[in-house]
Amino acid sequence: MATATQQVNCKELETTKPSSTSLHFENALGQQIAGRGNIANVSFEGIVGASGLLRKAIDLVRIVAPTDSTALIEGETGTGKELIARAIHNISPRCGHPFIRLNCAAIPFDLLESELFGHEKGAFTGAIAQKMGRFEMADKGTLFLDEIGDIPLALQPKLLRVLQEQEFERLGSGLTRRINVRMVAATHRNLAEMVRRNEFRADLYYRLNVFPVQLPPLRARYEDIPALVTHFVDFYGRRIGKYIQLIPEETMSALRSYAWPGNVRELQNLIERAVILSHDGVLPNPLPSNHHETVTVISKTNTLKEVDRALIVQALEAAAWIIGGPEGAAVKLGVKRTTLLYKMKKLGIFRPLQGRKIKTPVNVLQQAESSAAV
């Protein structure tokens, strides 16, 4: 849960069974599995997948974990930022000390300061007892602040101070407390852009951005999808009591070609649904019906512009030149309606007169070597 305090040490990782879906997912990802010949990061704090982009991120984790430097994990929602934060803690010298997390976006503004720094009895209306904050709980360990981009501007100077000085005061107290905390932060926002818009303090951004780790979206590492699917099928099959013996090639192909806006978390949830709906040991396609008609161009073209144009025209024709709506070309392409209109204008694509079709070079649509997406 967003406000739950969780302490993790090395021994507990080997013996404790998680009690929530999210922890099931995170600990399950720690298992070493084989995915069609690709071993999932052997000898590492296991993460399912062996793609180049994922391995690059893991290499950065290995480098920064033994230090006390602040790490900033960037990536879209559902890419596994908390899993990476736990890995940094688990292979660091702080492993035997607390790992404390806080989702900054899930705490109301008027309570966030108290959650971070704690308060004394009577510090404000409703403060009926003394409370220890997350920084104090994480002393000698790691504090993971998820969605750091949602920290209010008014609170950012206090956060900067504790990062720089390793000291703070509880609300309602004049006593300065010293701590020894390693900070790991995560965000799906573009903090540099927020700094330019004066929505995030530049000095705090520079203090957080000591060692950035960028997590790739699932659509950028599609080669990991078979291993992830196999893993989740096995996990949920055991959990639900329905054992899958066959994943049809057309189902796997559909999963590989889907854009996955919700990333690994979305894949996890859809595979759980598919296992529940399965019959006779066969995994059904869990994707919604409006995603079955995935638009893909297989091409060996000279320019990306030709590929983009061919892909858009193909999607428009498949959608009867309807741009918006649930059955429109924008949905098929996985982009916003305004984005599609912009690309159409840029590429000179207009709805043809009745009875005519836009001509697209045959080699753009037929020669097969690589897939292109808008």
Side-chain angles (χ1 to χ4, degrees):
M1 299 297 291
T3 60
T5 301
Q6 297 164 340
Q7 297 188 8
V8 180
N9 62 44
C10 304
K11 293 182 180 179
E12 288 174 343
L13 287 173
E14 298 175 358
T15 60
T16 302
K17 292 185 178 181
S19 59
S20 69
T21 301
S22 61
L23 288 181
H24 271 304
F25 171 43
E26 292 162 2
N27 288 344
L29 284 181
Q31 301 174 359
Q32 304 300 328
I33 66 166
R36 296 195 173 187
N38 292 327
I39 301 300
N41 303 311
V42 175
S43 78
F44 183 67
E45 183 77 14
I47 298 172
V48 176
S51 61
L53 288 175
L54 186 61
R55 287 187 179 275
K56 182 178 179 180
I58 289 172
D59 288 342
L60 293 176
V61 169
R62 287 197 183 100
I63 292 170
V64 75
T67 74
D68 272 338
S69 297
T70 301
L72 178 62
I73 306 170
E74 300 173 290
E76 297 178 6
T77 299
T79 50
K81 295 186 289 294
E82 182 176 348
L83 180 60
I84 293 296
R86 287 180 180 276
I88 291 174
H89 173 78
N90 293 339
I91 63 174
S92 77
R94 296 176 180 264
C95 179
H97 298 285
F99 175 87
I100 307 296
R101 72 177 294 270
L102 178 68
N103 187 327
C104 301
I107 308 297
F109 170 73
D110 55 345
L111 296 179
L112 185 56
E113 185 174 3
S114 172
E115 286 290 333
L116 287 169
F117 306 116
H119 64 253
E120 298 293 339
K121 181 179 179 180
F124 51 86
T125 302
I128 59 176
Q130 184 186 78
K131 178 180 178 179
M132 183 183 294
R134 302 302 173 94
F135 272 104
E136 205 168 345
M137 294 177 187
D139 192 25
K140 297 182 177 61
T142 302
L143 177 62
F144 172 52
L145 293 185
D146 199 4
E147 300 303 345
I148 191 74
D150 288 276
I151 290 278
L153 274 170
L155 191 55
Q156 291 179 20
K158 292 187 176 182
L159 180 59
L160 178 63
R161 181 202 170 195
V162 73
L163 287 177
Q164 291 180 333
E165 307 297 335
Q166 292 281 292
E167 61 182 31
F168 69 97
E169 294 85 32
R170 290 178 181 169
L171 289 178
S173 172
L175 176 64
T176 298
R177 301 173 184 275
R178 292 200 59 82
I179 51 171
N180 177 10
V181 172
R182 197 259 181 88
M183 167 76 77
V184 177
T187 182
H188 74 282
R189 295 171 176 250
N190 186 331
L191 294 187
E193 182 60 32
M194 291 180 68
V195 169
R196 283 191 286 271
R197 297 196 303 263
N198 295 319
E199 296 174 357
F200 200 87
R201 288 180 63 102
D203 48 4
L204 178 57
Y205 170 65
Y206 299 139
R207 185 64 184 82
L208 291 170
N209 199 39
V210 174
F211 197 93
V213 178
Q214 183 71 45
L215 292 187
L218 186 55
R219 62 182 174 276
R221 55 185 188 101
Y222 67 91
E223 61 265 48
D224 289 336
I225 290 176
L228 284 163
V229 171
T230 302
H231 168 70
F232 287 132
V233 163
D234 178 69
F235 174 73
Y236 284 113
R238 293 176 185 275
R239 181 177 175 182
I240 297 170
K242 298 180 88 172
Y243 299 99
I244 306 300
Q245 298 175 333
L246 174 65
I247 303 176
E249 185 59 38
E250 54 269 27
T251 296
M252 186 67 78
S253 177
L255 295 173
R256 283 171 60 95
S257 62
Y258 180 52
W260 297 110
N263 293 292
V264 178
R265 185 178 298 146
E266 182 184 10
L267 174 63
Q268 173 200 4
N269 294 335
L270 284 179
I271 293 301
E272 181 180 8
R273 179 195 305 170
V275 171
I276 294 172
L277 295 173
S278 64
H279 295 285
D280 301 323
V282 178
L283 187 77
N285 187 346
L287 292 172
S289 58
N290 62 327
H291 289 297
H292 287 175
E293 298 178 13
T294 303
V295 179
T296 305
V297 172
I298 306 300
S299 153
K300 184 182 179 182
T301 62
N302 294 326
T303 68
L304 181 60
K305 184 177 179 180
E306 290 179 359
V307 174
D308 284 351
R309 192 175 193 280
L311 182 63
I312 291 172
V313 169
Q314 185 178 348
L316 287 166
E317 290 179 346
W321 287 86
I322 298 173
I323 296 174
E327 299 298 327
V331 171
K332 295 179 183 295
L333 292 167
V335 300
K336 294 181 179 179
R337 178 178 175 276
T338 53
T339 301
L340 179 55
L341 288 170
Y342 169 78
K343 286 183 173 290
M344 289 173 63
K345 182 177 180 181
K346 184 177 179 181
L347 296 170
I349 300 174
F350 303 97
R351 181 167 184 164
L353 296 175
Q354 189 171 5
R356 292 187 181 182
K357 285 189 177 182
I358 290 182
K359 294 183 178 180
T360 303
V362 174
N363 68 313
V364 174
L365 295 172
Q366 293 183 343
Q367 296 178 354
E369 257 192 21
S370 61
S371 294
V374 176

